[in-house]
Amino acid sequence: MAELTAVGKSIPRVDAPDKVAGKTKYSADLKLPRMLHAQVLRSPYPHARIVRIDISKAERAPGVRAVVIGDDLPATQGKGDPTEKLGLVRDRWLLARDKVRFRGEAVAAVAAETREEAAEALSLIEVQYAELPAIFDPEEAMRPNPPVVVHPDLQNYDRVNLRGWVNEPDLPNVIFHRRVKKGDIEKGFKEANVILESRFSCPRMTHGALERFSSLVEPRNDGGFDIRETTHAAHRHRLDLARVFGLPTARVRIISAPMGGSFGIGTVDSIVPTGITMMLARKAGRPVKLSGSREEVFLDGSNREPVVVYIKDGVKNDGTLVAREVKIVINAGAYTGLVAEVSRSSPFGATGTYKIPNLKIDSYAVTTNEPPTSPFRGFGAAQLTWAIENHMGMMATELGMDPVDLRLKNLLKDGDQDGLGQTTVSFGGRECLVKAAEWIEWNRPSERSGGPWKRGKGIAMGNKNTVGGTSSVAFVKVHPDGTIELRHSVHEVGQGGYTVMAQIAAEEFRTDVAHIKTVQLDTDYTPYDNGTVSSRSTFNSGNAIRLACQDAKRRLFELASAKLGAAPELLDIQHDRIHVKGAEERSVRIGDLFTPFGFLHQGGELIGQGVYTCPLATEELDTGQGKRVLAYFSHGATAAEVAVNEETGEVKVLRMGSCFDMGYPINPKMCEQQIESGMAMGIGMCLTEEIVMRDGKMLTTSFLDYKSPTAMDVPGLKDTGTMMAPVPHSEGPFGAKGLGEAVMISPSPAIAQAIYEAIGVRMKDTPITKEKVLAALRARTGRGP
C-alpha cells in the first residue's frame, strides 16, 4: 500500500467544532412555524381487548387540533391485512387496533397547540378494555400449547426478508427459529472426555442514548410528508412509512439530524412514533412534533432483548473442543420489530472465534406480553458470548488448564472453515488475546490480602459479524475550487461516521480533509444506504465512497488528458491539481476544466457515483452453512482485574484493557475511543444495568433507578488499556473493517472470570449485583452475612 496521507491518521472529528460549541441541532431542537405538539395515550394493561374508544371530549378540548386512533389509518386491502403493519413479521399497527399486547402500547394520540393542552386532552379519552390473560416468561411462551398465544393469526403474516427462518407451527409464540448445524453433534460428544452444561441469562436493558426519540412531521400539498426524526436507517424508514401510508416513496422525505447516541435504537422500531406523528399531521394539516419522555423511551422506545442461553460443551483432556450445542431463547416482547434479525444474527457469535468440528445452535425469538425489544449494540452477540466465554473459563478450571492456553489452542486461523462453513479471513483474535494477557500481566497473580477485599484477574474474547449482501451508494461532486462534496447516507450517531468518510475521500483525492464537504443526510438528495447498523458503514459505505471518488477521478482525467497531452491512465491528482505521473510540473488546476460559471467546458457538473454491495452466497436453510454468509468478523479480547468485598458483595473494576482488530484503522484515535466506550458499556452490562419487569409492568422507567456506570465506576486512564491488532481485510476500504459493536462483547465475561478468580464463585446471570454475589458466597460456604 502506498504511503497514506489522510487514512490512518488521528485527525479531529469534522463534527466536533459545532458539537463542542453547542451549535449542532438534534431532532428535539427543531421547530417549524405553526407546529403542534403531540402526546400519546398508552395502555395500562399487558393484554386486553379494546371494547370502545371515545375521543369526542378530547376533540373539543382547548387547543386540540387532531386526535387519532388505530382505525384512522385505513387498511387499503381490508382490515387485518398486514400490508400496513410494521416489523419484519408485519405484526404491529401504529396505534393498537382491537387488542393491546403490552402495558404501554400506544392506543391514541393528540396534537394540540401546547404539550400541556395535549396532555390534558389525553385524560379526556375514554377507553374501555376487556383484560385478557397474559404471558411474560419466554420459556413458558415457547412451549407447545402455551396458555396464551400473543398473535393467534401469526402464521398468516408476511415474513419479509427473513433469511434462515424455520417454520414452527407447533410453537405458536415462536416468531423466528434459526438453526446452525455443522458436523455430527452426537458423535462429537461421544469423543469428548469432559462434558459441561450450563444455563446463563442476560436481562432487558435500555440503550441509554442521551437523546430521546423525536419526530417532526410536516404534511405536504401533494399528500406526502417531510420528516425530521431520530433514526439511523432513513432510507429503510422511508420505504416502510411509504408502504404503511400507501404512498409512493418519492412523497416521503426524511431529513436526518445528527443523533445523540444510538447503540441500536432508531432502526425499524422507531417508525412507530414517526408514523403516529404522520397520522396527526395529516389530520391536522399542520406540522406536528412528538418528543418522547424518558419513561416513554423505556416503555416503547425498544429495549435490549432479555436472553437465556443453554450451552453444552464437549472437550478432550488436552483442551480440544470437539462439540458445542447451544439453545438461545430471546424474549422479543409483544412485537417483532427487528428481533427476528437478532435471532438470526446471535448464533454467529458462536461461529467466528473457535474451531469446533461439531456444532449445533438453535436460536428462538419468542413473543410475550412484555414491551417490544430491538437490536442493541452487538445484535445479540454479547448475550451469547457472555455464556460462551464464561463456559470457556469453567472448562479451563475443570481441565486444570490456563484459560488463555485453552483459548489459544482452539482459536480459528486464516484459512480454517468456521462454524458457518466460511473460510476464515482477516482473523486478528490470536494477537488480541496475547496483547490483552500481556497488558494485564496474566502470569502474575493478583495481590492477596487478609481483609474482605479479594482480587482476581479474568480474560475473555469476542467477535461481531457484519451483515453481508447489503448495498451502499455514494455520490461525489467535484467543485472548481477543488472542494470534494460527498453525498452519502451514513448517519452521524456519535461514532464519527462523517469523519471516516471524509478521510477516505481525502485519501482518494490526495487532499486535506478540510477540502471535503458532506451534505446532510436527506433521502431526497443523498443516495440509498441500508442503514448505519451492524458495524457496516466503514466497510460498505467506505467502499462506495472510494468507488465514487474513482469514478469522478476517471472523468477528471479524461477531461484533463487533452490539456496535458497524456493518456488518462498516466494521470494522478493531488489537492486541486491534476498532473502526469512522474512529471508533476506538467499539471492543470481542476478549475481549468470549468467555465467561470461553475460548470464544465463540455457542459454539466462533474459527479462520480459508487455502488457497493457486499458479496453474499446462499446458505442452507436447515444448517445455516454457506460459502459467504456474512461480510466479515471483527475480533477482540478483554482482560480485567477486579476487587470483590466478601462482606458486602461489592465489585470494583480496578484495571481493564481491550485489544481489537478493525482491519486497518482509518482513524486510530477514534478506534481507541470506541474501545474505551466498549469497556465502559461492558462494566454496566455486567454489574449494574437492568430494566426490572414484574407481571408486564416496567418498574425501571428513568435513570434515577436504572444504574448506568458513571466516571466513578470505570478505571482511570492509567488503569485502562486500549490496544489494536490490525489485520487488514482484502475487501475493506484501505483494508478497514467495522469496530463499533465488537468492542463491548468481551468486557462483561472478562469481569465475571475475574470475580471467580477473586472469590471462587461463578456468576451466570447479569447484572452481578451485590445481592447476587452474597447469595453465591452463601451457597458456596453455607454461611455469610
Side-chain angles (χ1 to χ4, degrees), residues 188-254:
F189 282 120
K190 288 178 181 178
E191 294 174 354
N193 300 116
V194 175
I195 296 176
L196 203 61
E197 296 185 66
S198 298
R199 178 188 188 274
F200 297 87
S201 72
C202 298
R204 177 182 293 262
M205 286 173 50
T206 185
H207 294 73
L210 291 180
E211 183 181 20
R212 297 163 291 167
F213 65 74
S214 180
S215 299
L216 173 55
V217 176
E218 183 177 15
R220 301 194 325 211
N221 292 333
D222 64 359
F225 300 91
D226 288 344
I227 301 166
R228 297 160 177 86
E229 64 164 352
T230 307
T231 181
H232 54 81
H235 282 277
R236 293 174 66 180
H237 273 208
R238 182 192 204 188
L239 292 170
D240 262 356
L241 289 168
R243 173 183 55 76
V244 168
F245 282 82
L247 294 170
T249 54
R251 292 189 184 177
V252 177
R253 176 189 181 192
I254 297 180

Side-chain angles (χ1 to χ4, degrees), residues 144-214:
N145 302 311
V148 174
V149 176
V150 180
H151 294 279
D153 54 347
L154 182 63
Q155 300 303 315
N156 297 323
Y157 287 179
D158 177 21
R159 289 170 168 78
V160 292
N161 299 323
L162 292 189
R163 292 171 290 170
W165 170 65
V166 178
N167 188 23
E168 294 289 358
D170 296 328
L171 306 176
N173 286 321
V174 172
I175 49 93
F176 189 85
H177 176 196
R178 163 76 172 182
R179 290 176 180 161
V180 174
K181 294 180 182 178
K182 182 183 179 183
D184 186 331
I185 193 68
E186 294 182 2
K187 177 175 176 288
F189 282 120
K190 288 178 181 178
E191 294 174 354
N193 300 116
V194 175
I195 296 176
L196 203 61
E197 296 185 66
S198 298
R199 178 188 188 274
F200 297 87
S201 72
C202 298
R204 177 182 293 262
M205 286 173 50
T206 185
H207 294 73
L210 291 180
E211 183 181 20
R212 297 163 291 167
F213 65 74
S214 180

Side-chain angles (χ1 to χ4, degrees), residues 27-37 113 215-220 225-228 253 255 277 281 286-289:
S27 295
D29 299 320
L30 303 177
K31 297 179 182 178
L32 289 174
R34 301 179 68 244
M35 184 180 80
L36 301 172
H37 298 269
E113 299 291 343
S215 299
L216 173 55
V217 176
E218 183 177 15
R220 301 194 325 211
F225 300 91
D226 288 344
I227 301 166
R228 297 160 177 86
R253 176 189 181 192
I255 306 161
T277 314
R286 287 171 57 179
V288 177
K289 183 176 184 178

Side-chain angles (χ1 to χ4, degrees), residues 163-164 176 178-180 324 326 328 340-354 359 361 363 378-382 384-385 388 412 418-422 462-468 534 616 619 623-626 628-635 745:
R163 292 171 290 170
F176 189 85
R178 163 76 172 182
R179 290 176 180 161
V180 174
R324 171 166 288 162
V326 179
I328 306 166
E341 196 62 54
V342 175
S343 178
R344 178 182 181 273
S345 178
S346 180
F348 300 150
T351 65
T353 299
Y354 300 112
L359 180 66
I361 307 172
S363 177
F379 240 81
L384 178 56
T385 303
I388 288 172
L412 289 163
D418 69 14
L420 297 170
Q422 304 176 122
N463 72 64
K464 173 62 180 67
N465 75 88
T466 287
V467 63
S534 191
L616 188 71
E619 60 188 88
T623 66
Q625 300 292 299
R628 184 73 179 268
V629 179
L630 305 169
Y632 58 85
F633 282 103
S634 294
H635 301 89
I745 304 292

